[in-house]
Amino acid sequence: MSTPRAPWGLLGPACLAGAFALLPLGYLAVRSLERGPGFAWGVVATEGTGLLLARSLALAVVVVAACLVLGISLAWLTMRTALPGAGVWSVVATVPLAVPSYVAAFAWLSAMPELAGFTGSAIALTLVSYPYVYLPVAAALRGTDPAHEEVSRSLGVGPVRTFLRVTLPQLRPAAAGGALLVALYVLSDFGAVSLMRYDTFTRGIYTSYRASFDRTPAAALSIVLVVMTVVLVALETRTRGRRGHSRTGTGTARPIVPATLGRMAIPALAWCAAVITAAVVFPLATLGYWLTVGNSDTWDPAGLLNTAGVTLTVAALGAALTTVLALPVGVVAARYRGRTADLLEHAAYAGHALPGITVALAMVFFAVRYAYPLYQELPLLVCAYAVLFLPVAVAATRAAVLQAPPVLEDVARSLGRSPLRVLREVTVPLAAPGVAGGAALTFVVCMKELPATLLLRPTGMDTLATRLWTETGVGSYADAAPYAAVLILLAAVPSYLLGRRT
C-alpha cells in the first residue's frame, strides 16, 4: 500500500517552516562565496579545520554514548522496575534540563580546575543533555505494550536479558531521536566549551568572527557544521526504518507488572543517586556556596525580578512560534513518509547545529537588507529561537503523532472528513500531550540560550542568561550566582512537569 500524499493545506505551511529554518544557510552561502569558492575551500581544507572537526566529533561521540547509557538506564529503572521511589526519580531525572551547560561547566571548573578541556566539557555536556534521551525513551516505555516483556519473564528470562532482547529493540526510534538531539546540542554548544577552554567548531567560529571584519572564514567553517548535521539526520532517519510504532488500543487492561530488582535494588538506587548528585546536587551546591560568599550588594531584587520577567516573556514567545512552525513538519514526517517529508525534516534540523552566533548574524544580515524595522527588535530574537530549536519541537510532534493510532484517521476519512479536518479533529487532539511536552522543552532551551540572545537582544534588554554570562566573564561569581539560581528555578518548573508527564 502506497503512502498517501500530504494535502497542500498541510504541506504548504510545512514548506514555509522548512524555508524559514534554512534562512541561515542562505546567509552562509552568500558570505562563504563572497570571495569565491577557492577561498572558501582554502579555509576549510586546512589542518586546523581538520583538528576542529576531529575534536568536535570526538566530543559528540563520547557525550552521545554517555547520554544513551544514562538516559536508557534511568528510563528503564523508573518505568519498568520496582525501583523504590520510582515516581520521584522519574521527576528528578528531568531537572538537569534546567541547568544551562555554561552553569554546569562553571560548577565543575570552579571545584576542579584540572578538568578544563575535553574531560570537563564531556562531563558538563553529558549531565545537562542526557534528559534528551531519557524523556523520549521513558515516553516510549510508557506507551509500548508490556505483554512481550511479561511473556519473556514468565518463561524464566531475567529482567536484564528481557530488557536487552525485548525492550531495547522497541526503544530504538526514541533512543535514536534523543541521541540525534544530543549530538546536535553538543556540536552547537558554545558556553560549556568556552568556559572549559576546549576548541571546537563553535569556539573556532566565534574566534574567527571576533578576530576580523571578514566573515567569510567563519561562514565557511559553519558550512562544515551544516554538512555534519545533514549526515547525522540522515543516519538517524535510516535507523528509524519504516516500521510502525503505534497500537490501536491501550494494550492490556491490567497494569504493568514491574520487574523485581532483588539484590540489584541497592546498586540501582546508588546509580540513580550518583547521576542526580552529579547533574543536579553538585551545581546547586556550587551556586549555594557563591550565594553565601556574596554580600548585600550582590542582591538586587527589583532588577532580578525584571530580568526574570523578560526571560519568561521572550522564552514563551519563542516556544509558541517554534511549536506552530513544527506542527505541520512533524505531522508530515510522521504520516506522509517519502522524499518530500525527509527533505522537510532535514531542513528543520539545519539550523540546530549552527552556533547561535551564526544564526544571529544571519538574522542581522536578513533584517538589515530586507526588513530593517526588525533590526535590534524583539521579533528578530524570537525568530532566531525558532530557527535554533525547531528540531526540539519537530521531534516531539513526530513522536506524538507516531504514537497516535493511524486507524482512527482512516476511519474519519472513510466518513467523509477532509484531510485537514481529520488533522484538526483527530490527529492534533490525540498528539496534543506530546506537542505540549515539546513546547515545554522548547521553552526551557529558549530560556537558557546565550550567544544569539547576546547579539540580537534589543538595546537595554537583559535576560538571566546574558546577565549570568556578563558577571561570569569578569569573574564576579558571587554576583552571577543569583541570576543562575533564578534561571535554574524557573527552568525547573517545566522540567518538573515534563517529568510528571512521562
Side-chain angles (χ1 to χ4, degrees):
M1 182 177 178
S2 61
T3 303
R5 296 183 59 181
W8 276 107
L10 181 63
L11 191 59
C15 290
L16 289 177
F20 180 77
L22 291 174
L23 178 62
L25 294 185
Y27 162 78
L28 292 179
V30 171
R31 283 295 190 186
S32 61
L33 297 177
E34 273 186 335
R35 299 173 62 179
F39 182 84
W41 177 251
V43 172
V44 173
T46 64
E47 183 178 350
T49 302
L51 181 60
L52 289 177
L53 178 62
R55 293 165 71 93
S56 298
L57 288 177
L59 183 62
V61 168
V62 169
V63 173
V64 166
C67 286
L68 285 172
V69 173
L70 267 61
I72 295 176
S73 63
L74 289 178
W76 180 66
L77 287 172
T78 56
M79 295 293 164
R80 282 288 196 266
T81 71
L83 180 73
V88 176
W89 290 115
S90 67
V91 173
V92 179
T94 64
V95 173
L97 286 174
V99 182
S101 65
Y102 42 87
V103 172
F106 158 68
W108 287 95
L109 191 62
S110 63
M112 290 174 276
E114 65 273 13
L115 288 179
F118 178 86
T119 302
S121 300
I123 291 174
L125 288 170
T126 296
L127 293 176
V128 300
S129 55
Y130 81 81
Y132 288 113
V133 175
Y134 171 81
L135 284 170
V137 171
L141 284 171
R142 178 179 287 273
T144 53
D145 194 335
H148 300 293
E149 299 166 47
E150 294 173 3
V151 170
S152 176
R153 290 202 297 271
S154 70
L155 295 175
V157 181
V160 175
R161 292 179 63 190
T162 296
F163 169 76
L164 294 175
R165 294 184 176 184
V166 180
T167 308
L168 192 58
Q170 299 181 72
L171 302 179
R172 187 179 66 177
L180 175 62
L181 289 178
V182 171
L184 297 181
Y185 182 86
V186 173
L187 290 177
S188 63
D189 178 76
F190 172 75
V193 295
S194 294
L195 287 179
M196 288 291 181
R197 298 184 294 278
Y198 182 71
D199 288 328
T200 61
F201 259 105
T202 52
R203 199 169 183 220
I205 292 169
Y206 180 76
T207 302
S208 179
Y209 272 123
R210 294 291 299 271
S212 156
F213 287 105
D214 185 5
R215 309 303 187 198
T216 302
L221 292 176
S222 297
I223 289 291
V224 179
L225 274 182
V226 174
V227 173
M228 293 167 63
T229 300
V230 172
V231 172
L232 287 173
V233 174
L235 290 175
E236 191 273 338
T237 301
R238 289 182 64 87
T239 65
R240 190 187 313 159
R242 303 280 176 174
R243 179 183 175 184
H245 301 282
S246 63
R247 52 194 174 102
T248 303
T250 57
T252 178
R254 60 187 184 277
I256 296 173
V257 178
T260 57
L261 292 172
R263 289 179 298 178
M264 295 301 295
I266 293 179
L269 285 172
W271 171 249
C272 295
V275 174
I276 300 306
T277 298
V280 179
V281 177
F282 181 78
L284 292 181
T286 303
L287 289 179
Y289 167 78
W290 286 112
L291 287 173
T292 58
V293 168
N295 51 47
S296 58
D297 294 335
T298 300
W299 292 89
D300 177 17
L304 195 60
L305 183 62
N306 178 69
T307 306
V310 171
T311 303
L312 291 173
T313 300
V314 176
L317 292 173
L321 177 60
T322 307
T323 303
V324 170
L325 292 173
L327 183 60
V329 179
V331 174
V332 170
R335 285 291 187 259
Y336 304 96
R337 300 304 307 169
R339 184 171 301 177
T340 300
D342 291 342
L343 289 175
L344 287 173
E345 193 173 3
H346 293 176
Y349 278 90
H352 195 56
L354 295 176
I357 187 172
T358 301
V359 173
L361 289 171
M363 291 297 173
V364 170
F365 174 81
F366 173 80
V368 169
R369 293 204 177 187
Y370 307 108
Y372 191 76
L374 295 179
Y375 181 63
Q376 285 194 319
E377 296 294 337
L378 184 59
L380 201 62
L381 177 59
V382 173
C383 289
Y385 287 163
V387 171
L388 284 168
F389 305 123
L390 187 60
V392 177
V394 168
T397 300
R398 176 175 57 80
V401 175
L402 283 173
Q403 289 285 333
V407 65
L408 300 181
E409 300 169 14
D410 295 337
V411 170
R413 281 192 291 268
S414 70
L415 294 175
R417 299 292 193 273
S418 66
L420 292 181
R421 191 172 176 183
V422 171
L423 173 69
R424 184 177 67 252
E425 297 180 356
V426 180
T427 308
V428 171
L430 289 173
V435 174
L441 187 57
T442 305
F443 178 77
V444 171
V445 294
C446 285
M447 278 200 294
K448 299 190 298 181
E449 206 289 324
L450 177 64
T453 309
L454 285 172
L455 269 68
L456 294 176
R457 55 182 171 156
T459 304
M461 189 194 88
D462 269 316
T463 66
L464 293 169
T466 60
R467 285 301 303 269
L468 169 62
W469 182 261
T470 300
E471 300 296 349
T472 305
V474 297
S476 301
Y477 300 130
D479 293 333
Y483 294 97
V486 173
L487 177 59
I488 292 177
L489 179 63
L490 292 178
V493 175
S495 299
Y496 169 80
L497 296 176
L498 284 171
R500 289 289 301 272
R501 197 177 66 84
T502 55

